Amino acid sequence: MINKLDNRFLLIGIGVFFYLFITTYAFLFQDWTRLLAINFTEIPPVALFFFIQIVYLSTIILFSFLFQSKLKNEKTNSKKLFIQLAIWMVVGQCLQFVTYFIFDLIETSQYLDRLVAYSEAIRNEYALGWVSPGLSLIVDFFLIYFFYKNRNSILNLDAKTDDFEKIGT
């Protein structure tokens, strides 16, 4: 059992990597969706923009609840959880890095024209300028609240019976 001060630092570290892990994969899947859709489909730009935002939001929600089920069902300790989140976040960052190299191999001849048309259409729709930042702010509040509600489950990973400290009420 680690002491109570270490619990708080570990909880903060898990929280940071939880946020980085989830947002890394949400951005990765959002980017893949955009690249594939622009490359292979004729979806109108505004509809594609909202579809991409839905992919981002659903990835956040799905991974959050998978994380919660991992806390409740799997027997692991908080240090292993911290390391797993850090490793999966690094894997996601590496996937983001190689994404464009891979998509360059499958790029169609119309891709650049479609990308320019998509970018201009979205840039010309001034009302869409608040959607992505607004959604990101809502996601940030959701993740903070979600992690706060599950903090004692994380602290309970290392506890035996009544040995763990509950933070907050």
Side-chain angles (χ1 to χ4, degrees), residues 136-167:
S136 293
L137 185 62
I138 291 169
V139 162
D140 288 347
F141 285 132
F142 167 76
L143 290 176
I144 290 167
Y145 178 75
F146 184 85
F147 191 78
Y148 176 77
K149 286 309 234 180
N150 289 288
R151 71 200 178 281
N152 289 324
S153 296
I154 295 168
L155 290 174
N156 198 19
L157 293 174
D158 295 326
K160 296 193 172 58
T161 54
D162 294 326
D163 292 344
F164 72 96
E165 169 193 17
K166 286 192 174 190
I167 297 177

Side-chain angles (χ1 to χ4, degrees), residues 36-65:
L36 287 171
I38 290 173
N39 207 8
F40 297 113
T41 66
E42 294 284 338
I43 300 173
V46 175
L48 178 59
F49 176 80
F50 281 109
F51 180 71
I52 289 169
Q53 299 306 317
I54 290 169
V55 167
Y56 178 78
L57 188 60
S58 36
T59 303
I60 295 281
I61 292 170
L62 177 69
F63 275 44
S64 295
F65 288 106

Side-chain angles (χ1 to χ4, degrees), residues 107-124:
E107 184 177 293
T108 61
S109 59
Q110 302 96 358
Y111 174 73
L112 291 178
D113 295 332
R114 290 179 185 167
L115 179 63
V116 168
Y118 170 79
S119 299
E120 287 177 355
I122 297 304
R123 195 175 307 121
N124 290 335

